[in-house]
Amino acid sequence: MRRHIARTVIITLITTACVIWTIHIFDWRQIGASVARMRWGLLATSGVALVICAFALRGLRWLIVLRLPLDRRRLWQSFCANGAASGLASLTPLQLGEMLKISMIPECDDFAWQQGIAGFFLERVLDLAGVVGMGLCGLSLHFGHTWLAALALLLPAWAGQLLYLLRTLTPHLPVKAQVYGKLLHQHKRITVASLITVPLWLLYAALWWTAISAMNVSIDFDQISLLLGGVMLTVTASMTPGGLGVAELGSQGILLWLGRSRLDAEAAAVAVRLLTPLLALSGGVCMLLLFLSNRHAKNFRRTANQRYLD
């Protein structure tokens, strides 16, 4: 209880300090002028399209990890569940809102629940590798090491193979935890999921590039890669809700280190923050669609049962 209170107090202090510092150092008059010139159509069209593609890839990866058939109904359900979870994750510390999708597994029995927990942690490891890989890719390109950047982009694939090699350690886990380690023995599932993670994070890089470009700030691939990896790692380490304050300071600091002007750095930080309501709103729409879909399915089954009884 005391640890929970202490952790909450620390996170609150970090968030408050970062927000106050952001308000103090940002030139809000210049930012207001940049927002007034923002190309909202670009963010609305390209941004939404990229978010839908990211949700679709997450939904596909989730079904592969759970070893569920890739039929149309399950793909739709997984797309909505992952979209809703991603929207909630954009608002929660450590992006733990993604755990919501565990309760939305199509076949929700005890085995599916265990598979869901194991699959969730597998995805978290792969996503962490994707974030680190993007950051290392940008750093390598910044210093002119193109071959190293290509290897860094494939870091989720290397992480997947490492997880498979660690399968020999599962017998040493506590008896109750060994059931969650069975997923590590599924080489094909881990490999496919890790390969899907690579284009998934490239989609997120494209989403960030779209948002920053909508603010009329030009940015190269190496800069957007380093920005994405650096900010996401900073947000995760800070444990603040949605990275509030931390993401803004992190974005500004990285772009200033890359030699961008203060105005570009601040405009880019605001653009990245605008992605939070976009993801949250998209996730809310997915939640509504999933609710309506499940309700329609229940009504259809009820009607079919009544006709059969009649």
Side-chain angles (χ1 to χ4, degrees):
M1 183 65 179
R2 291 181 178 178
R3 290 182 179 178
H4 176 72
I5 294 175
R7 183 168 60 250
T8 302
V9 170
I10 292 174
I11 293 174
T12 302
L13 291 175
I14 292 175
T15 304
T16 304
C18 289
V19 169
I20 293 174
W21 188 245
T22 300
I23 294 173
H24 175 69
I25 67 173
F26 275 43
D27 188 343
W28 295 103
R29 182 178 300 177
Q30 292 290 344
I31 291 174
S34 298
V35 171
R37 297 191 302 269
M38 187 173 183
R39 293 179 287 173
W40 292 99
L42 175 63
L43 181 61
T45 55
S46 300
V48 170
L50 289 168
V51 167
I52 291 174
C53 291
F55 288 176
L57 273 184
R58 284 194 172 277
L60 176 62
R61 186 180 68 173
W62 184 235
L63 290 181
I64 291 173
V65 167
L66 296 179
R67 199 168 56 182
L68 293 175
L70 303 179
D71 56 60
R72 185 171 62 179
R73 180 183 65 86
R74 289 187 180 88
L75 282 169
W76 170 252
Q77 198 169 10
S78 184
F79 166 79
C80 292
N82 277 270
S86 296
L88 182 60
S90 66
L91 302 173
T92 53
L94 298 175
Q95 295 190 325
L96 291 178
E98 280 203 18
M99 294 184 69
L100 175 69
K101 65 186 180 185
I102 298 178
S103 63
M104 300 179 182
I105 298 175
E107 286 78 12
C108 197
D109 53 19
D110 290 340
F111 177 74
W113 181 260
Q114 294 170 348
Q115 286 285 92
I117 294 176
F120 171 77
F121 283 106
L122 170 63
E123 287 192 334
R124 296 301 291 175
V125 171
L126 295 180
D127 282 334
L128 178 61
V131 170
V132 175
M134 291 300 299
L136 291 177
C137 174
L139 198 61
S140 300
L141 289 174
H142 180 70
F143 289 106
H145 303 298
T146 307
W147 64 272
L148 190 58
L151 292 177
L153 273 181
L154 295 174
L155 190 59
W158 312 134
Q161 299 310 305
L162 177 60
L163 287 173
Y164 177 69
L165 293 176
L166 293 177
R167 71 191 186 281
T168 56
L169 300 178
T170 53
H172 302 286
L173 295 173
V175 177
K176 292 183 178 180
Q178 288 183 13
V179 66
Y180 301 105
K182 290 181 179 179
L183 180 59
L184 298 182
H185 295 262
Q186 305 295 325
H187 183 253
K188 183 177 180 180
R189 291 159 63 188
I190 293 176
T191 301
V192 174
S194 64
L195 291 176
I196 290 176
T197 306
V198 177
L200 174 62
W201 281 97
L202 286 174
L203 276 175
Y204 281 119
L207 179 62
W208 282 42
W209 179 86
T210 299
I212 294 174
S213 296
M215 290 285 284
N216 299 294
V217 177
S218 61
I219 188 167
D220 298 327
F221 178 73
D222 60 328
Q223 295 176 335
I224 201 68
S225 299
L226 184 55
L227 181 65
L228 174 61
V231 171
M232 291 301 296
L233 286 175
T234 303
V235 168
T236 301
S238 67
M239 299 184 294
T240 57
L244 187 62
V246 178
E248 288 78 8
L249 291 177
S251 301
Q252 185 199 43
I254 290 173
L255 289 177
L256 288 176
W257 179 75
L258 290 171
R260 303 305 299 262
S261 67
R262 179 170 293 274
L263 178 59
D264 284 352
E266 292 177 355
V270 172
V272 170
R273 174 51 60 195
L274 289 176
L275 291 176
T276 299
L278 176 62
L279 288 169
L281 182 60
S282 301
V285 172
C286 287
M287 177 70 79
L288 177 61
L289 292 175
L290 184 62
F291 171 76
L292 294 176
S293 178
N294 290 339
R295 185 176 179 180
H296 175 74
K298 288 180 180 179
N299 292 336
F300 179 80
R301 287 194 296 268
R302 187 182 300 112
T303 302
N305 291 334
Q306 289 176 351
R307 289 179 179 175
Y308 177 78
L309 293 174
D310 293 341

